Amino acid sequence: MTAQRPLTVSSARTGLAGRVRVPGDKSISHRALMFAALAEGRTHIFGLLEGEDVLRTAEAMRALGAKVVQKDGCWIVDGCGVDGLKEPSDVLDMGNSGTAARLLSGVLATHPFMSIMTGDASLRSRPMGRVSVPLSEMGARFVTRAGQKLPMAVEGTGKGKPLHYRLPVASAQVKSAILLAGLNCEGETVVEEPAPTRDHTENMLRHFGTEVKVEELPEAGRRITLKGPARLVAQDVLVPGDPSSAAFPVVAALLVPGSEIVVEAVGQNPLRTGLFRTLKEMGASLEIRDERVEGGEVIGDLHVRAGRLKAVDVPAVRVPSMIDEYPVLAVACAFAEGTSRLRGLAELRVKESDRLASTVALLEANGAKVHVEGDDLIIEGQKSLPGGGKVQTHMDHRLAMSATVLGLAAEKPVHIDDTAFIETSFPGFVSLMNGLGAGLEV
């Protein structure tokens, strides 16, 4: 078990300044390793996030028969082909990563062997039924703990049955799991989503040579169609900076007076940049410069300058494009002028922690005026927050980083019970923030 790392964060003495590059996109990193393992040939992955979550995925793909090595900052994967993975000799431990566990469920569902997945205490508390139910319809069999929780045994099938499935809730993880299973099915696998979710899986399928059809639905959702069995051919991948990680230095720079920073080469996929759009609506000095395309994904440099923010009303339809950024957005709203309403946050209740309840607790402990109405979070902004609170992170890396941002802008020091789990998504977070002048001491 990882030792706890408590942290006390005091108000930044001077404005944050400098140019930084955040770690590679976590969502794309997981997918790059899985697709490379399923491809024929050798893939080179550059800029892979080397956090604990992604390293668990790398280890899982090794256990399933792919050759995965790291050399001079590049990850090299010799794949097995879509139907070439082998039965693992031991339990697959996915650590803290719900993305890895759910996507890998799709891979395992249409391979003809038995496997077992588990994870840390946080992941074992999260529901897996949202993927096991549709994947069962494709021929796989799942056995879980009560409440459809890990550990989970997967009895995969060879050639699975194609599925036409409409997602009850917009979820890129569930969509991706079904599409990954569909690679090894005879016929068309179709997923309809009620609202567009991050499309890294579709982009990567195309990058590895598989045709994917995406249609806009009249009611604002999308229909994704994949014809199987499919063949993936190895392609090199360059992973952009993670917009979910960039969120923390960006919001910190907006809130700490006198700050001016640049975050380089951040992914600008429109289905991932809801936070940046929202911050601009709040009046943030946030510019995206030098946009370019790398490995099928748009990237750009974020130029950020501190300034007063105003309240915002965020529609529920924006949730899929910024699902991981709501805690740090809530921190920004707590310092904004006016009352903000963040709508439709039911999905936050089933993240690494009950993120909605934990975000409320984080803000209330430090003097913010906040409450929940149904699935909406309402925050009454103040010019300054007293701080001085003790934050329980519940092993949630994004809560820990959001509390850090709040501490840099609050009047009194903020005490965080544990920051060890930050390494799952943002290795080097403290060093990066200190390089901008944050003065954090773990």
Side-chain angles (χ1 to χ4, degrees), residues 7-11 335 361-368 384-392 403-404 406-416:
L7 176 67
T8 296
V9 184
S10 300
S11 178
F335 288 90
L362 157 66
L363 295 175
E364 287 183 336
N366 290 285
S384 63
L385 287 185
K390 294 183 178 180
V391 178
Q392 302 293 319
T404 301
L406 190 152
L408 291 172
E411 295 172 8
K412 298 177 183 177
V414 172
H415 308 282
I416 306 171

Side-chain angles (χ1 to χ4, degrees), residues 386-441:
K390 294 183 178 180
V391 178
Q392 302 293 319
T393 57
H394 307 285
M395 300 189 297
D396 190 324
H397 46 121
R398 300 198 193 280
L399 279 172
M401 289 185 281
S402 298
T404 301
V405 171
L406 190 152
L408 291 172
E411 295 172 8
K412 298 177 183 177
V414 172
H415 308 282
I416 306 171
D417 71 334
D418 190 8
T419 61
F421 286 89
I422 290 175
E423 294 297 310
T424 64
S425 69
F426 200 145
F429 170 73
V430 170
S431 296
L432 181 143
M433 294 303 296
N434 283 341
L436 295 172
L440 305 178
E441 296 182 13

